[in-house]
Amino acid sequence: MTDPGRDAYFQALQSALIDAGVAGPTLVVDRARLDANIDTLMGDLPEGMGYRIVTKSLPSPKLLAHVRERTGSDKLMTFNQPMLKALGELMPDTDQLLGKPLPEAAVWAHLSQLPEPRQQALDRIQWLVDTPQRLAQYERLAEAFGVRLRISLELDVGLHRGGFVTGRRLGEALERLGNSDRLMLSGFMGYEPHLASIPELLGWRRHLLRRAKTAYRAVIEQTESVLGAGVVELLTRNAGGSPTYRMHPETDVANEVSVGSALVKPTHFDIPELAPHKPACFIATPVLKGPAPTRIPGLEWASALGRRLRPKTASALFIHGGNWQADPVDPPGLHYNRILGRSSNQEMLNGDRRLAIQPDEFVFFRPHQSEAVFLQFGDIAVYEDGAIVDWWPVLPPSA
């Protein structure tokens, strides 16, 4: 029976969880919404624009396999050595671009763990390098292991989180790559998520977008002046992210974009640029106790007055678990208690006197992000057509 005070979508999702015997905190992905988001992404990409899947935002092998099948992409972006190793073994046919530079020890560990012949696996990895010093480290490692490493240079196109810009340092790095027997230039990565936070007032965002593309184009021109005309056509030119992929309607600078979070749309991605995307991930957890009139320990004498003065906190319930990076969305009107604070065991949520939920029914949250939150609940419950239709294991927390 549908409660008129609750969203029909979450009522149906609750019924599916109960029918599946779910009794604890669970991460749910709505497959129909996920597929709609994938189709929106692919429909927005201009002809010739490649798509690279951001694995930290979709950290489940079956989820990644589903995205790969629907998009036809064999490109992944990974962010640490355990993830690189796990996905290299599970998906050896993919090309993995590191989304951040790894410490020398992490690269050494990866090279040490690769079975012989190492080069076959290394031909499908692009190591991200942000400084000439790191480039020298990687060359020493390649020499020590007798292998050849593909190098993608990180570019600073306005985020100012490290990376190369045109000039002497970039020139030295390009010359080293051009002369090395152990390193080869495979591409560039110029990430610009800051653009989504820039107001459009007076064309400010458009100006910074042009500046970012101009900076990227200048690197391309310097690369061709050092390594030869036309060499860049064969390289990965990565840009974009969930907040900014729609700012690349042409392939004159970037030839691929990386997107992950937009496919499940946690709350941090509730931005105008992603308006066509739908929330597709939720945390569901049972109510353990309540609802009952809110009573604050040590302040019982003032609780009745508090309920009258702040009617939106009149009722309290306690859930199974808590303290996630997430906001409650159903039942409507729930919020965290500011006095008691957060709890990972039995978190208190407050609402008004009309709060319509009972123990063993579910409270639903929207995660703030997916990359860390998805790893906290075990297997992901896959929801479709009113039922839990599958369970997708996640990568180990270390990945």
Side-chain angles (χ1 to χ4, degrees):
M1 182 176 180
T2 301
D3 188 316
R6 299 189 64 182
D7 189 293
Y9 174 84
F10 292 111
Q11 287 284 82
L13 181 49
Q14 173 176 271
S15 296
L17 292 166
I18 291 172
D19 290 346
V22 175
T26 303
L27 195 287
V28 181
V29 166
D30 184 318
R31 188 154 64 186
R33 291 189 176 193
L34 169 68
D35 288 348
N37 290 337
I38 294 172
D39 294 345
T40 296
L41 163 68
M42 299 306 292
D44 280 342
L45 297 185
E47 184 177 355
M49 182 68 81
Y51 167 53
R52 190 172 292 273
I53 307 168
V54 179
T55 58
K56 68 179 174 60
S57 304
L58 307 167
S60 160
K62 284 192 173 182
L63 173 54
L64 292 170
H66 181 81
V67 175
R68 287 189 65 194
E69 181 179 3
R70 198 166 182 93
T71 62
S73 175
D74 64 353
K75 300 176 181 180
L76 305 179
M77 179 174 282
T78 51
F79 289 81
N80 56 51
Q81 190 271 328
M83 182 185 293
L84 184 68
K85 180 176 185 293
L87 293 176
E89 294 170 352
L90 290 167
M91 300 178 179
D93 59 326
T94 56
D95 177 88
Q96 296 196 68
L97 169 63
L98 271 297
K100 62 186 177 186
L102 295 189
E104 182 178 11
V107 181
W108 182 91
H110 193 75
L111 296 177
S112 300
Q113 294 169 18
L114 283 176
E116 295 282 3
R118 293 186 177 94
Q119 194 60 55
Q120 183 175 351
L122 291 172
D123 286 342
R124 303 197 72 89
I125 299 172
Q126 299 188 56
W127 303 91
L128 193 67
V129 168
D130 57 330
T131 64
Q133 293 76 18
R134 199 179 304 275
L135 192 63
Q137 290 177 345
Y138 285 18
E139 187 172 34
R140 287 195 298 270
L141 287 171
E143 185 68 39
F145 282 90
V147 296
R148 190 168 170 85
L149 300 182
R150 300 167 69 214
I151 302 297
S152 185
L153 297 180
E154 182 174 12
L155 309 181
D156 181 0
V157 294
L159 181 59
H160 306 319
R161 195 175 64 182
F164 289 94
V165 297
T166 53
R168 180 182 57 80
R169 291 170 72 252
L170 175 62
E172 291 173 354
L174 292 171
E175 289 178 1
R176 185 169 205 138
L177 287 164
N179 295 326
S180 176
D181 294 328
R182 293 300 179 183
L183 304 177
M184 64 175 292
L185 179 65
S186 61
F188 307 102
M189 186 187 79
Y191 188 39
E192 71 301 78
H194 61 287
L195 293 175
S197 302
I198 301 297
E200 295 187 13
L201 182 67
L202 300 177
W204 190 12
R205 180 187 295 176
R206 290 194 302 275
H207 168 68
L208 292 182
L209 175 60
R210 286 195 300 270
R211 197 161 78 179
K213 291 186 176 183
T214 298
Y216 208 134
R217 192 176 288 108
V219 168
I220 291 173
E221 292 172 356
Q222 184 172 355
T223 300
E224 293 198 326
S225 72
V226 174
L227 300 180
V231 66
V232 175
E233 294 302 316
L234 304 175
L235 302 180
T236 296
R237 304 194 306 274
N238 181 272
S242 286
T244 58
Y245 85 86
R246 302 179 78 205
M247 299 180 188
H248 294 273
E250 66 285 311
T251 58
D252 60 322
V253 176
N255 60 12
E256 68 170 41
V257 291
S258 300
V259 178
S261 297
L263 303 187
V264 289
K265 200 178 183 182
T267 63
H268 282 179
F269 297 85
D270 287 344
I271 57 177
E273 291 74 20
L274 294 179
H277 290 257
K278 303 175 182 179
C281 62
F282 305 96
I283 298 167
T285 194
V287 175
L288 296 181
K289 303 166 185 176
T294 301
R295 301 174 69 222
I296 302 300
L299 296 173
E300 292 86 353
W301 56 273
S303 294
L305 177 61
R307 292 193 293 271
R308 288 196 296 271
L309 294 176
R310 301 184 64 198
K312 291 184 179 180
T313 65
S315 294
L317 56 81
F318 295 86
I319 59 172
H320 193 335
N323 201 25
W324 304 298
Q325 294 185 54
D327 298 321
V329 292
D330 189 82
L334 285 177
H335 52 274
Y336 301 114
N337 186 280
R338 295 181 179 178
I339 297 176
L340 285 189
R342 307 298 301 275
S343 170
S344 301
N345 177 34
Q346 298 180 65
E347 185 148 45
M348 175 194 277
L349 295 173
N350 289 130
D352 63 24
R353 291 184 177 86
R354 297 169 295 175
L355 189 57
I357 192 169
Q358 299 300 317
D360 298 343
E361 294 183 329
F362 284 82
V363 172
F364 294 93
F365 299 76
R366 281 188 63 201
H368 296 165
Q369 59 182 33
S370 58
E371 59 195 64
V373 177
F374 271 39
L375 299 176
Q376 299 178 19
F377 300 90
D379 293 357
I380 297 170
V382 182
Y383 175 68
E384 190 172 36
D385 295 331
I388 302 302
V389 297
D390 204 353
W391 292 89
W392 289 346
V394 295
L395 291 165
S398 61

